[in-house]
Amino acid sequence: MSMLGTRVERKEDPELLTIGGTYVDDIECEGALHAVFVRSTMAHADITAIQLDEARQMPGVVGAFTAADLELSADPPRMPMLNQQMLRSPLATDRVRYVGEPYAVVVAESQSQATDAAELVYADYEPLDALLDTAEAALNDRLLFPEAETNTVFAIPPSQQNGQDPFADCEVVVELAFDNPRMTAAPLEPRTALASWDAGAQRLTYWACTQFPHQTRDTISAFCGLEPSQVHVITPDVGGGFGAKNAQYVEDFVIARLTCRLGRPVRWAETRSEAMIGFTHARAISYAARLGGTRDGDVTAYEVDALQDAGAYPMVGSVLPMFVRIMATGVYDIPNVAVSTNSVTTNTAPVGAYRGAGRPEAALAIERMMDLFAAEIEMDPGELRRRNFIPPEAFPFTTPTGADMDSGEYAKALDAVMEAADYAGLRAEQERRRSAGSPRLLGLGWSAYVEISNPMGAPEFGSLEVRDDGSALVLTGSSNHGQGHHTAYAQIASDLTGIAFEKIEVRHGDTDEVKRGGGTGGSRSLQTGGVAVFEAAQAVVEQAREAAATMLEADPADIVLDVDAGTFAVVGTPARSLDWAQIAAHVIRSEGGELHAESDFQPPAATFPFGVQLSVVEVDSDTGQVTPLRHVTCDDAGVIVNPMIVEGQVHGGVASGIAHALGEVFVYDEDGNPLTGNFMDYAIASAAELPSFERIPLETPTDRNPLGAKGIGESGTIGATPAVHNAVVDALSHLGVRHVELPCTPERVWRHLQEH
């Protein structure tokens, strides 16, 4: 029986649920110093002086440092497409540009000593007006980087229309300007680091809380002027990443510089308050959109202008609007599309990648506009979607914006959700409540989405070694921080080799042991890392077949592997067989080698998982409180290796999307001071605020890898936010409400109710 497609329990969980994991802050390191960063309390100001003397005299303090003390330089963004005139030093020097920006660091023998001393460090500021509004920033009247002569970090100009107006022949055109608000990643484990410099070996060991161990090695080695071979990165357990732990934070560089400077290990653990103001923020994008078509419901033209808040310094978030362009049309066959984007700097925390990283931003725009169009022509929003879906026979399909899509059965997913949810019954209940004047308003919200997984086409490393006791070791360049890699990869290796699942060990995250790797991001792990393990396992099976042929004095072509038994035999004579332990021992003893193979799988293109989600919400017309009642999803991930892991990924993604729709928003006041700097103010959702999710399985295999697998880790988030958003508006639509800005908080909904 194949292990693929079975609900194997995650092998990572027993240790996590009993003795607990081992995180960077758990690593014991004798003599390690503790670092605490001193952060700006001003959103925008020139620094005229930094006072360190009192801190340096505090008990246990080994040093207090500025950028000048550590010889830190201001460098351009590492991504060449970003504005190279916008320089940043790991510690701010002459100017701070957001509350939370580090400008000094204190190092002491203990955490408490470093914290006490850091409170005595202060900067003399010359305040500057904070620039917070992206529309104002786009005018370039006030510049965060005067030398750049613009606030634009990255831009995509409007698409060329060859002098034609695609909306000229449209019978119906709807327009809307709306926001996708700022949020923060907020993983359970904030950032941590531990670094140790071996002067004799001229080698740096860095324990990193990251999704990308090898990228961390390469960026730190470049920063420190070392060869990659001189940097050893170890990534133990990671308490959540969601795209935000991406190996490019300035604190990491400072910790590396400190250990080389002081000759002693240095560790740092971020507090939750620090994480809220300094960790990656996300979304923070606004749209001006138009959608046009016929009164019968054929959508023919779509235009969107997206304005991205990049935050104070250019990071990967600045380029994410390119996915708003690539994925602009979503699951719909819209012939005329025009997309422009502009990413601008503001006096806020830098924006980076967070679950979906550009694809949720694209989905929210088109899905909100589809509902608006449906309301205008008085068509059911589900039927409008069905009418405009790209049909399954059209795949592979290239959209007007260049998305090369592999496979999709969108109507099948929509029908499955309609049936499972009893959509007709829900609409009847909605009408009954409205007719009865019930204060409990029912709203139904659709979202039909497609995402691009592994959008940059990154390769991944995998290897398999069979030991002489018959067990196996899998190494992977991808990085596990909750996804279940170790289970899925062991399933793949077991399925191909017949080695018992429990005898397969999977390891990752040590750059000395795993020589190369791409890391985890963009929903790519199974379709790249899993396929690399698949190919390595195939190669090891062939090696074992050759060895078994020698041992059994037969032709390799006549050797067969009984996967169920995990044995090799000559075809037709299964009684005389060899198991993996015997073959591995023979190879080691007679050939001086090992049963081992590696693969670097390079996918030919991205894959395009998709789904349809229906949100059912209840709105209290007296208070504006929105309660999610049901959330029904049908999410495709190609061939599914482990349904339980897929369900967990969808559930987590949907939870994140619902939270963003109803409460998660990071807010600054008019002076750039954070107003949501802890979990008392920032609306993290718990299980108590969420419904039980109803998931319908669907598999549309891809031909872009031998497993037929697509991504799934970000899909739930991409679909959930627009579904809930549309459901809230739908609940109020009979009152004349056309749109509600995100997040749909009780106060915001209540105000709409009062106005109508």
Side-chain angles (χ1 to χ4, degrees):
M1 175 180 173
S2 174
M3 288 204 75
L4 303 187
T6 58
R7 301 175 66 87
V8 177
E9 292 188 2
R10 297 189 354 154
K11 65 192 309 177
E12 300 96 326
D13 291 348
E15 181 177 337
L16 289 170
L17 295 173
T18 53
I19 63 174
T22 300
Y23 302 89
V24 171
D25 206 38
D26 296 324
I27 304 295
E28 295 184 4
C29 186
E30 186 176 353
L33 300 170
H34 295 258
V36 170
F37 287 90
V38 185
R39 300 180 181 276
S40 171
T41 57
M42 301 286 291
H44 198 198
D46 286 332
I47 299 175
T48 58
I50 299 175
Q51 308 296 335
L52 299 171
D53 291 344
E54 289 186 62
R56 287 168 172 164
Q57 295 170 13
M58 289 289 287
V61 170
V62 174
F65 306 94
T66 64
D69 296 324
L70 295 176
E71 299 177 344
L72 301 174
S73 61
D75 298 316
R78 279 179 289 278
M79 302 179 76
M81 69 282 292
L82 299 179
N83 192 318
Q84 297 294 292
Q85 300 302 311
M86 296 180 176
L87 308 182
R88 184 180 188 184
S89 169
L91 294 176
T93 54
D94 58 339
R95 180 172 290 188
V96 290
R97 292 182 171 86
Y98 68 97
V99 171
E101 181 175 4
Y103 64 84
V105 62
V106 176
V107 183
E109 298 288 348
S110 72
Q111 178 73 35
S112 60
Q113 289 172 330
T115 300
D116 289 343
E119 292 178 353
L120 297 178
V121 176
Y122 64 93
D124 293 330
Y125 296 115
E126 187 66 39
L128 301 169
D129 290 338
L131 180 59
L132 303 170
D133 183 77
T134 51
E136 182 182 354
L139 298 175
N140 295 317
D141 291 336
R142 290 191 293 137
L143 301 175
L144 263 63
F145 295 86
E147 60 277 14
E149 299 182 346
T150 180
N151 287 320
T152 292
V153 178
F154 174 80
I156 300 175
S159 306
Q160 296 296 319
Q161 298 297 325
N162 299 319
Q164 302 296 316
D165 180 3
F167 291 89
D169 296 328
C170 291
E171 296 174 343
V172 179
V173 177
V174 292
E175 300 185 30
L176 186 65
F178 58 108
D179 295 329
N180 193 338
R182 175 182 288 258
M183 62 184 303
T184 184
L188 287 178
E189 179 198 24
R191 295 171 294 169
T192 55
L194 171 62
S196 179
W197 172 250
D198 185 333
Q202 289 289 289
R203 201 152 194 260
L204 174 67
T205 302
Y206 201 91
W207 289 264
C209 175
T210 181
Q211 298 169 222
F212 303 96
H214 295 84
Q215 183 183 347
T216 300
R217 177 197 63 190
D218 295 344
T219 55
I220 287 179
S221 62
F223 174 79
C224 293
L226 302 171
E227 294 297 321
S229 60
Q230 292 179 273
V231 178
H232 177 199
V233 169
I234 303 170
T235 299
D237 290 319
V238 174
F242 311 112
K245 292 182 178 174
N246 63 8
Q248 295 192 21
Y249 287 101
V250 293
E251 291 91 346
D252 291 304
F253 302 138
V254 174
I255 297 301
R257 179 64 57 87
L258 284 169
T259 192
C260 295
R261 167 79 171 259
L262 299 174
R264 289 180 62 181
V266 179
R267 66 190 321 145
W268 168 63
E270 182 179 52
T271 67
R272 178 61 62 187
S273 295
E274 285 183 291
M276 295 300 291
I277 62 175
F279 197 42
T280 285
H281 288 188
R283 310 300 187 240
I285 190 170
S286 59
Y287 317 93
R290 288 199 295 168
L291 193 68
T294 69
R295 290 206 170 273
D296 292 333
D298 294 324
V299 177
T300 59
Y302 179 44
E303 178 182 84
V304 60
D305 180 33
L307 183 58
Q308 173 74 63
D309 186 343
Y313 293 96
M315 287 180 59
V316 65
S318 304
V319 303
L320 292 180
M322 69 181 180
F323 292 120
V324 175
R325 182 184 185 279
I326 294 171
M327 305 304 296
T329 55
V331 294
Y332 308 112
D333 187 1
I334 305 175
N336 299 300
V337 185
V339 183
S340 59
T341 75
N342 187 19
S343 298
V344 295
T345 55
T346 62
N347 291 121
T348 59
V351 170
Y354 174 72
R355 204 165 191 164
R359 287 91 87 199
E361 292 86 329
L364 181 67
I366 184 61
E367 288 304 294
R368 189 69 205 93
M369 295 305 294
M370 289 295 286
D371 257 38
L372 203 65
F373 193 89
E376 183 69 21
I377 64 172
E378 298 181 343
M379 177 179 284
D380 183 89
E383 291 308 313
L384 177 69
R385 286 167 168 80
R386 183 198 309 279
R387 186 180 183 95
N388 290 280
F389 282 152
I390 302 165
E393 63 271 15
F395 290 94
F397 183 85
T398 301
T399 70
T401 55
D404 176 20
M405 300 164 74
D406 50 356
S407 61
E409 292 189 77
Y410 308 141
K412 184 176 182 180
L414 178 74
D415 290 340
V417 172
M418 278 191 168
E419 181 179 356
D422 184 17
Y423 184 62
L426 288 170
R427 283 295 182 198
E429 171 63 13
Q430 181 186 56
E431 185 55 36
R432 186 195 68 77
R433 293 193 188 193
R434 289 176 175 178
S435 298
S438 171
R440 301 287 183 177
L441 307 177
L442 194 68
L444 311 179
W446 286 108
S447 171
Y449 72 89
V450 61
E451 91 130 311
I452 178 172
S453 58
N454 194 21
M456 308 309 292
E460 191 52 274
F461 167 83
S463 70
L464 176 70
E465 176 189 349
V466 181
R467 300 156 169 152
D468 60 5
D469 62 357
S471 66
L473 172 64
V474 169
L475 298 181
T476 176
S478 61
S479 184
N480 181 36
H481 46 281
Q483 295 90 337
H485 293 172
H486 292 194
T487 301
Y489 295 174
Q491 284 182 254
I492 292 168
S494 177
D495 189 74
L496 287 171
T497 63
I499 299 172
F501 172 79
E502 59 272 13
K503 294 181 68 175
I504 298 175
E505 179 184 7
V506 180
R507 294 209 296 256
H508 78 282
D510 186 319
T511 62
D512 274 10
E513 181 178 44
V514 184
K515 300 296 185 184
R516 56 193 181 274
T520 296
S523 297
R524 69 179 182 230
S525 295
L526 186 65
Q527 62 183 308
T528 53
V531 172
V533 172
F534 178 91
E535 292 184 341
Q538 285 183 318
V540 167
V541 167
E542 291 307 309
Q543 292 175 17
R545 196 188 311 277
E546 295 282 344
T550 300
M551 296 171 71
L552 296 173
E553 299 180 339
D555 190 311
D558 295 331
I559 301 296
V560 293
L561 168 62
D562 183 340
V563 175
D564 291 334
T567 58
F568 292 82
V570 178
V571 63
T573 57
R576 188 185 175 203
S577 62
L578 299 170
D579 61 25
W580 280 100
Q582 292 172 303
I583 296 173
H586 167 79
V587 171
I588 294 170
R589 181 177 61 253
S590 64
E591 301 178 16
E594 57 187 16
L595 279 179
H596 172 266
E598 298 179 351
S599 172
D600 292 277
F601 177 67
Q602 174 63 65
T607 64
F608 291 80
F610 63 89
V612 173
Q613 300 190 13
L614 177 67
S615 171
V616 183
V617 305
E618 187 175 77
V619 176
D620 187 328
S621 61
D622 293 326
T623 66
Q625 178 67 47
V626 179
T627 302
L629 299 180
R630 297 178 66 186
H631 201 96
V632 187
T633 80
C634 183
D635 303 284
D636 159 69
V639 173
I640 293 174
V641 170
N642 188 319
M644 184 176 68
I645 289 177
V646 168
E647 288 172 8
Q649 287 291 296
V650 171
H651 289 179
V654 169
S656 173
I658 293 175
H660 187 48
L662 296 183
E664 260 193 79
V665 58
F666 198 96
V667 180
Y668 289 92
D669 70 13
E670 60 184 10
D671 296 317
N673 297 306
L675 300 181
T676 47
N678 55 57
F679 284 172
M680 291 296 291
D681 302 313
Y682 185 81
I684 290 286
S686 73
E689 287 82 50
L690 300 170
S692 294
F693 308 130
E694 304 166 53
R695 183 177 178 275
I696 305 159
L698 178 66
E699 297 187 26
T700 61
T702 182
D703 60 1
R704 294 177 178 177
N705 64 69
L707 283 177
K710 305 177 185 178
I712 193 62
E714 298 167 291
S715 295
T717 300
I718 296 168
T721 300
V724 176
H725 194 187
N726 285 334
V728 173
V729 177
D730 180 67
L732 310 181
S733 60
H734 66 296
L735 302 174
V737 176
R738 187 168 178 261
H739 181 70
V740 179
E741 284 289 351
L742 291 178
C744 300
T745 60
E747 178 187 4
R748 187 168 280 166
V749 173
W750 179 83
R751 291 190 182 280
H752 279 280
L753 288 164
Q754 299 308 301
E755 293 169 0
H756 293 81

